[in-house]
Amino acid sequence: ALYRYTPYQPNSAALAAGTGTGDSCSSYGNRNFYNLFTEWFGDTRVSVDTNIYIPDGTYRLKSNTGHNLDIAGVGKADGTNVWLWEQNYAGGQVWEVKRLNDGFYTLRNPNSGKYLDVAGGGAIDGTDVRIWSGNTTCAQKWAITTNGDGYRLQSACSGKSLDIAGGNMTNGTNVRIWSGNSASAQRWYFESLDSPVIEAGRYRVKTSNGKNLDIAGVGTVNGTNVWLWEQNNAGGQVWDIERANDGLYTLTNPHSGKKLDVSGSGTANGTNVQIWQTIQTSCAQKWAIEKNGDGYRLISSCSSKSLDIDAGNLSNGVNVQIWDNNDSQAQRWYLEKANDNIIPDGTYRLKSN
């Protein structure tokens, strides 16, 4: 038999001993079962990607038809069901999204004070989703990952996805968890209800000593490096900043038509930053912009890491990368409105009216 039941829990000495002997108070039945099970069948813990970054804030969560994740009857009691409903601007369609230290998110409805919750912390396909008073269990923790042009929400209890029953995009369709797939039933769109951090427009992105975020050699091809350079009024130092519905921003260089991009959608410290043609579904081109002292921090949506100046060296030609967030000048950027009428370098005819 793989396991013969024992009610005794292993103490710290038994756990520290691995497969060996602990102390005189140690018991081993449950520990040995766990060791054998994981050796034979793998890790019992759910592994989900928690790298994707969504800014803390207030959102609606929508399906691809515009129906909202909705609390039935704008209820407030523990166990009130969650389903789809057309937008009605009621309190049951608003969610406060908060990132936790472990990379998971909670979704709290401010009208009820309750959290999006998997019933009983269940892991079976079809387990219902509801609201419940706040607790620290996996039932209320969600990983957010990309899914096509939207997002997937995965329960920390099972890795299974927030799912619209039968993919039926009509009022009153139940919401549950289900094994992950690429269908629209598991594709959600965040609509930010918060005010923009900055207004859309054309900017220079500058350091504390006035150096500019610059495209090397005013390049225009995919993969051209981005670094620091003193202001030269060339086309490689201007960025059109636009805010998407989910509250994230893109930075497009009008001279090249390319976007500020994290190479390979990387998540490791030191991953290079470059320009690349627009890819609508890529986290590599989405940035959160948040206050950082008297400037701003630009955070990659792929990793929650910040746009960073290598070694904090504010000199011409120093590389720009992503790195774990810190409060140094290497991650503090200043957004200066640029001339909206700038014309890229090129060959033109000049004509009268």
Side-chain angles (χ1 to χ4, degrees):
L2 175 62
Y3 178 54
R4 185 164 293 167
Y5 175 74
T6 172
Y8 301 110
Q9 298 298 310
N11 65 2
S12 57
L15 293 173
T19 57
T21 302
D23 58 24
S24 59
C25 296
S26 294
S27 61
Y28 305 101
N30 290 330
R31 183 204 71 178
N32 290 347
F33 170 68
Y34 174 80
N35 287 338
L36 286 169
F37 188 96
T38 54
E39 180 182 347
W40 292 1
F41 303 111
D43 197 332
T44 60
R45 295 170 295 183
V46 175
S47 178
V48 294
D49 180 4
T50 56
N51 287 320
I52 291 294
Y53 185 82
I54 294 288
D56 289 354
T58 306
Y59 296 86
R60 290 188 179 92
L61 269 73
K62 312 186 95 167
S63 72
N64 67 347
T65 59
H67 288 79
N68 282 239
L69 186 69
D70 179 276
I71 300 169
V74 201
K76 297 182 179 181
D78 283 348
T80 302
N81 194 40
V82 174
W83 59 13
L84 275 195
W85 204 268
E86 61 194 3
Q87 189 161 306
N88 55 22
Y89 301 98
Q93 297 185 349
V94 176
W95 302 92
E96 293 172 345
V97 177
K98 181 176 178 59
R99 183 178 173 91
L100 306 176
N101 290 335
D102 57 8
F104 288 100
Y105 290 82
T106 58
L107 287 84
R108 177 183 177 272
N109 172 246
N111 183 62
S112 63
K114 305 290 170 60
Y115 289 79
L116 190 69
D117 180 282
V118 177
I124 299 171
D125 280 351
T127 301
D128 197 34
V129 174
R130 65 205 183 161
I131 57 169
W132 200 268
S133 298
N135 56 56
T136 58
T137 69
C138 63
Q140 298 181 355
K141 296 168 72 174
W142 301 86
I144 299 176
T145 58
T146 54
N147 185 13
D149 62 345
Y151 295 91
R152 181 189 309 279
L153 279 73
Q154 292 177 267
S155 169
C157 296
S158 64
K160 294 189 174 177
S161 298
L162 189 69
D163 180 277
I164 300 162
N168 184 7
M169 307 290 179
T170 57
N171 286 346
T173 300
N174 196 40
V175 173
R176 60 193 184 175
I177 59 167
W178 200 268
S179 297
N181 57 61
S182 58
S184 58
Q186 297 182 3
R187 190 172 303 136
W188 298 91
Y189 300 85
F190 286 83
E191 181 184 283
S192 176
L193 302 180
D194 298 322
S195 299
V197 178
I198 64 162
E199 63 180 86
R202 183 161 289 178
Y203 292 86
R204 290 187 178 89
V205 182
K206 308 185 82 166
T207 65
S208 59
N209 71 344
K211 293 291 194 299
N212 280 239
L213 187 69
D214 178 277
I215 300 169
V218 200
T220 61
V221 301
N222 284 340
T224 301
N225 195 38
V226 173
W227 59 11
L228 287 191
W229 204 267
E230 61 193 1
Q231 188 162 316
N232 55 23
N233 299 320
Q237 297 185 348
V238 178
W239 303 91
D240 289 336
I241 299 181
E242 296 179 287
R243 185 175 188 256
N245 287 339
D246 58 10
L248 295 170
Y249 291 82
T250 58
L251 288 80
T252 305
N253 172 247
H255 175 67
S256 64
K258 305 293 197 312
K259 285 186 164 54
L260 189 70
D261 178 282
V262 177
S263 179
S265 302
T267 61
N269 281 340
T271 301
N272 197 43
V273 175
Q274 59 188 11
I275 59 168
W276 201 270
Q277 66 192 44
T278 299
I279 304 174
Q280 297 288 359
T281 59
S282 177
C283 64
Q285 299 178 353
K286 296 180 180 181
W287 302 85
I289 298 179
E290 300 180 359
K291 287 294 293 181
N292 183 18
D294 61 343
Y296 295 92
R297 185 191 310 280
L298 277 72
I299 303 173
S300 170
S301 180
C302 293
S303 65
S304 77
K305 295 183 177 179
S306 290
L307 187 68
D308 178 276
I309 301 161
D310 189 15
N313 181 359
L314 304 182
S315 303
N316 284 345
V318 173
N319 198 44
V320 174
Q321 59 190 8
I322 59 166
W323 201 270
D324 289 331
N325 296 340
N326 58 59
D327 293 325
S328 72
Q329 291 288 337
Q331 297 182 359
R332 189 168 301 150
W333 300 92
Y334 300 85
L335 303 179
E336 177 184 278
K337 273 295 189 81
N339 179 0
D340 286 337
N341 297 318
I342 189 169
I343 297 175
D345 293 348
T347 304
Y348 298 87
R349 287 190 176 92
L350 273 68
K351 298 188 169 186
S352 72
N353 60 1

